[in-house]
């Protein structure tokens, strides 16, 4: 079984500040991890993915995430927040024989203040 | 390359009715997954189809069903609608070439279903 916990359902930052969204996972098989972003009334857009090739993963729009097996974490960061980053962010895990199944966290709503 | 498309984008139904939602995957993708998104339960996996076969299924009642056609397009059906079925239904496609579960999923815009 797999699960994801996103710490903090709401995160608020000022424009230009560091963005840190936390994700911890549980998996009995080697995990593949993803971060998606969802803007209002839209589907999910892939930000980045970890597939065991490198522990530090760079994604779109300046986001990156680091896979830490010892901490079972996959936190998302961005050095400088932009107003356009305001959205809901989802961490997801898959692996093994979970054909086509992503297990998502509950999501974190990011608010960016001017 | 065109993305995942879902039709219709919005639906309003009444309790007891049935509904069919459609999903066209990215060209060349053979795997289609369906998810239900609600404020209370978040994103939950419904089922996945690959080459017209259901390979995986989530914990939803039998009222939720799906199928996939030879061109990889997929439909999901919900019979005897309940108020709690009101949700955003998302479809995602992946290439399916890895043969396993690790392909990246690309999502459509969703169908917003409201049950009155």
């Amino acid at each position: 079984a797999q699960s994801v916990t996103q710490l903090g359902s709401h995160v608020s930052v000022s424009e230009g500040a560091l963005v840190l969204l936390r994700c911890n996972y549980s998996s009995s098989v080697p995990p593949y991890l993803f971060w998606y972003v969802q803007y209002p009334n839209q589907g999910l857009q892939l930000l980045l993915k970890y597939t065991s090739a490198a522990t530090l993963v760079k994604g779109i729009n300046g986001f990156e995430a680091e896979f830490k097996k010892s901490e079972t974490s996959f936190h998302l960061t961005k050095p400088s927040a932009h107003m356009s980053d305001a959205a809901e962010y989802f961490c997801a895990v898959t692996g093994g024989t979970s054909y086509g199944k992503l297990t998502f966290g509950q999501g974190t709503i990011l608010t960016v203040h001017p | 390359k065109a993305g995942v498309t879902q039709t219709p984008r919005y639906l309003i139904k009444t309790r007891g009715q049935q509904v069919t939602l459609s999903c066209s995957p990215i060209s060349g993708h053979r795997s289609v997954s369906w998810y239900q998104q609600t404020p209370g339960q978040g994103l939950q996996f419904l089922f996945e189809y690959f080459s017209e076969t259901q390979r995986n299924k989530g914990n939803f009642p039998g009222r939720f069903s799906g199928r996939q056609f030879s061109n990889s397009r997929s439909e999901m059906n919900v019979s005897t609608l309940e108020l709690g079925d009101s949700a955003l239904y998302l479809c995602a496609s992946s290439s399916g070439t890895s043969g396993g579960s690790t392909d990246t999923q690309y999502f459509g815009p969703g169908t917003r279903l409201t049950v009155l």
Side-chain angles (χ1 to χ4, degrees):
Chain A
Q2 297 176 310
S3 66
V4 172
T5 301
Q6 292 184 235
L7 298 174
S9 58
H10 290 80
V11 170
S12 181
V13 301
S14 298
E15 193 173 19
L18 171 72
V19 175
L20 171 60
L21 304 182
R22 300 178 187 274
C23 170
N24 287 89
Y25 70 92
S26 173
S27 178
S28 57
V29 297
Y32 285 70
L33 294 155
F34 303 80
W35 275 99
Y36 285 89
V37 61
Q38 186 177 36
Y39 298 97
N41 298 316
Q42 294 187 26
L44 303 179
Q45 179 184 3
L46 178 70
L47 279 176
L48 49 81
K49 62 180 179 180
Y50 165 77
T51 58
S52 78
T55 57
L56 183 62
V57 181
K58 294 187 184 299
I60 62 171
N61 301 337
F63 286 95
E64 64 180 36
E66 186 172 9
F67 173 73
K68 293 187 177 180
K69 184 177 179 181
S70 61
E71 299 177 8
T72 61
S73 70
F74 190 57
H75 301 331
L76 182 70
T77 60
K78 181 175 180 178
S80 177
H82 192 273
M83 297 294 289
S84 61
D85 295 327
E88 189 163 17
Y89 292 78
F90 294 92
C91 180
V93 65
T94 188
T97 58
S98 300
Y99 297 111
K101 177 183 179 180
L102 289 170
T103 299
F104 286 90
Q106 285 298 103
T108 297
I109 295 173
L110 175 66
T111 302
V112 182
H113 296 287
Chain B
K1 192 181 271 191
V4 178
T5 59
Q6 292 187 246
T7 57
R9 290 293 311 277
Y10 300 91
L11 266 178
I12 299 176
K13 293 286 187 179
T14 57
R15 279 180 297 173
Q17 287 187 310
Q18 75 166 14
V19 68
T20 299
L21 313 181
S22 181
C23 172
S24 293
I26 292 170
S27 177
H29 283 190
R30 297 168 63 190
S31 171
V32 174
S33 298
W34 288 89
Y35 295 85
Q36 181 194 66
Q37 185 177 24
T38 60
Q41 299 299 315
L43 282 152
Q44 294 186 288
F45 172 76
L46 282 155
F47 31 64
E48 185 257 6
Y49 286 86
F50 177 79
S51 292
E52 301 180 67
T53 300
Q54 186 183 89
R55 287 195 303 187
N56 202 356
K57 187 177 186 304
N59 296 321
F60 278 82
R63 299 185 297 107
F64 292 82
S65 62
R67 59 178 175 168
Q68 186 180 36
F69 302 95
S70 59
N71 61 358
S72 294
R73 190 176 70 85
S74 178
E75 290 181 346
M76 68 162 283
N77 183 276
V78 188
S79 63
T80 319
L81 284 166
E82 300 177 0
L83 294 179
D85 296 334
S86 293
L88 181 67
Y89 290 88
L90 292 164
C91 149
S93 78
S94 63
S95 64
T97 54
S98 77
S101 63
T102 59
D103 295 324
T104 299
Q105 293 186 28
Y106 298 91
F107 285 79
T111 294
R112 173 76 62 186
L113 172 64
T114 302
V115 182
L116 303 177

